[in-house]
Amino acid sequence: MDTVHTLADLRTAVDHWKRQGHSIAFVPTMGNLHAGHFALIKAARSRADRVVASVFVNPTQFGEGEDFESYPRTLEADQRGLADHGCDLLYAPDVQDMYNTAAPRAAVHVPVVSDGLCGERRPGHFDGVATVVIKLINRVTPDCALFGEKDYQQLMVLRKMAADLDLATEIVGIPTVRESDGLAMSSRNQYLSPAERRVAGQLHAALERCALKIKQGEQVEKSIETERKKLSKSGFRVEYFELRRARDLAEISSPASESVLLVAAKLGSARLIDNMRFRHEGPSQN
Ligand code: AMP
C-alpha cells in the first residue's frame, strides 16, 4: 500500500487507475483505526477494484473546547492496519493541503437533518463534516464512499447532501462494529478509565431494552425516561435520547415502520454516541 500526502500525488495515483478502467471505493477516516474502520475497508474491497482510505483529523468539525488537539494520531499503526486489510492507497493530507485556498471559503450546509441531536450540541459540526467529505470525494472521485452507521446522523447528513447536490458517488452505510459487551467501537473509547469502561456497555444495553419495550407497545416517552434514569444512575450524563424516523431522522412521537433510537452521553471525559434501528409491525407513524 502506498501513502500519499498531497492532492497532486493522489491525483496521479487515481488517474492511473482510472485509465486502466478500475473502479474505486473510498473510506474517509480521522485515523486511530480499529475494527470498525477495518469493516469499512473490507466492505470497500468487495465493492470496487481499488480501495482508497484517508486519514485526516479535520479541524473544522471540532468545536471550541473539543478534543481536536488531543485526538489520537497514530499514522504508522494506521498504515500497517490498512495494508493488512487490503487497502491500496492511503491519502493522509495535512491541513494546508486540504484547505489550500484563502479563507473565507465555500462550505456545505445540509439543513434540517444537521440541526437536532449532535448538531444541536456541536454547532457547526456537520457543516465541517459535509464540507470535508465533499472535498475528499471531489479529490478521490470514487464510485462509492463508505461510512459507519455508528455515526447515524452523519450518514443521513451525507446521504441528503449527495441527493441534493447530485453527487455521482454512492454513499454506502456499514453496520456498527461492537466490543463484546455491546459498546460501539470508537477512537474516543480510550478516554474511558477502566472503571468507566466497565459500565460503558450500558449505553447499548439501554438502547436494546428501550427498542424492545417500544416494540412491545410501551409508550415511547416512558421507555426513554426509564432508560435515561438508569444511565444517569450508572454515571452517564445523557445529552439526548430520542426516537426518530430511520430514513430521514424526522421527529416522531410513536414508532414509524422503521425507527431509530439515538443516544449521546458523556461518561467521564468521553462523549459516546450510539443508535439502534428497529422495525415496528403494528400501526405506525410514517
Ligand atoms: P472516524 O475516524 O471516527 O471519523 O470514523 C471514520 C468512519 O468509520 C466513519 O464513517 C465512522 O462512522 C466509521 N466508524 C467508526 N466507528 C465505527 C464502528 N464501531 N463501526 C462501524 N463503523 C465505524
Side-chain angles (χ1 to χ4, degrees):
M1 184 191 74
D2 283 335
T3 301
V4 293
H5 297 283
T6 65
L7 176 55
D9 288 346
L10 173 72
R11 289 218 159 117
T12 303
V14 166
D15 288 351
H16 176 68
W17 286 335
K18 294 225 157 164
R19 276 197 302 276
Q20 295 178 322
H22 291 320
S23 58
I24 296 175
F26 176 45
V27 179
T29 81
M30 297 205 300
N32 193 240
L33 304 181
H34 51 64
H37 298 111
F38 297 136
L40 269 64
I41 299 290
K42 192 173 165 211
R45 266 261 66 98
S46 71
R47 283 179 174 263
D49 303 319
R50 294 284 175 244
V51 175
V52 178
S54 64
V55 167
F56 179 61
V57 185
N58 174 37
T60 70
Q61 69 190 69
F62 287 78
E64 225 165 277
E66 292 187 357
D67 55 345
F68 174 68
E69 299 296 340
S70 57
Y71 196 85
R73 289 159 170 89
T74 52
L75 190 62
E76 280 179 22
D78 294 345
Q79 282 171 315
R80 285 194 296 275
L82 288 168
D84 288 350
H85 288 84
C87 180
D88 296 294
L89 180 70
L90 168 61
Y91 177 43
D94 61 16
V95 173
Q96 178 57 39
D97 181 78
M98 183 57 62
Y99 296 105
N100 57 352
T101 57
R105 300 181 188 90
V108 178
H109 173 67
V110 184
V112 185
V113 67
S114 294
D115 291 345
L117 306 166
C118 283
E120 197 178 323
R121 278 82 189 176
R122 305 183 69 190
H125 170 68
F126 287 118
D127 293 3
V129 169
T131 304
V132 81
V133 167
I134 206 155
K135 280 171 71 68
L136 285 164
I137 284 178
N138 282 336
R139 287 172 177 223
V140 177
T141 61
D143 298 272
C144 64
L146 295 90
F147 299 88
E149 289 178 359
K150 189 214 136 209
D151 300 285
Y152 194 79
Q153 188 176 14
Q154 169 174 284
L155 179 60
M156 292 298 111
V157 166
L158 296 176
R159 277 200 206 289
K160 179 85 171 99
M161 173 182 82
D164 289 355
L165 300 182
D166 311 311
L167 227 62
T169 301
E170 186 193 356
I171 304 293
V172 179
I174 299 296
T176 304
V177 178
R178 299 178 180 282
E179 304 283 0
S180 56
D181 65 347
L183 176 64
M185 287 194 175
S186 165
S187 307
R188 291 188 166 107
N189 292 348
Q190 59 196 267
Y191 300 154
L192 297 167
S193 70
E196 289 159 359
R197 176 62 193 85
R198 281 194 289 278
V199 297
Q202 284 303 315
L203 202 60
H204 177 61
L207 287 170
E208 275 190 322
R209 278 192 305 265
C210 195
L212 185 66
K213 282 195 198 147
I214 292 172
K215 273 163 70 167
Q216 289 169 342
E218 192 176 275
Q219 201 209 1
V220 172
E221 247 176 65
K222 185 177 170 218
S223 318
I224 289 181
E225 200 40 43
T226 306
E227 296 308 329
R228 260 184 178 269
K229 280 191 186 138
K230 280 191 192 157
L231 287 172
S232 301
K233 266 199 184 150
S234 305
F236 290 89
R237 303 183 309 281
V238 180
E239 286 188 359
Y240 63 77
F241 197 140
E242 290 191 33
L243 181 77
R244 296 284 182 110
R245 187 164 64 186
R247 78 175 127 92
D248 58 1
L249 290 181
E251 291 184 33
I252 47 176
S253 52
S254 59
S257 55
E258 189 153 11
S259 309
V260 59
L261 280 166
L262 305 107
V263 66
K266 287 206 173 122
L267 188 58
S269 62
R271 182 177 186 275
L272 306 176
I273 59 170
D274 202 351
N275 65 84
M276 175 161 294
R277 243 181 325 150
F278 62 95
R279 299 191 68 77
H280 182 77
E281 302 303 339
S284 60
Q285 211 185 60
N286 273 306

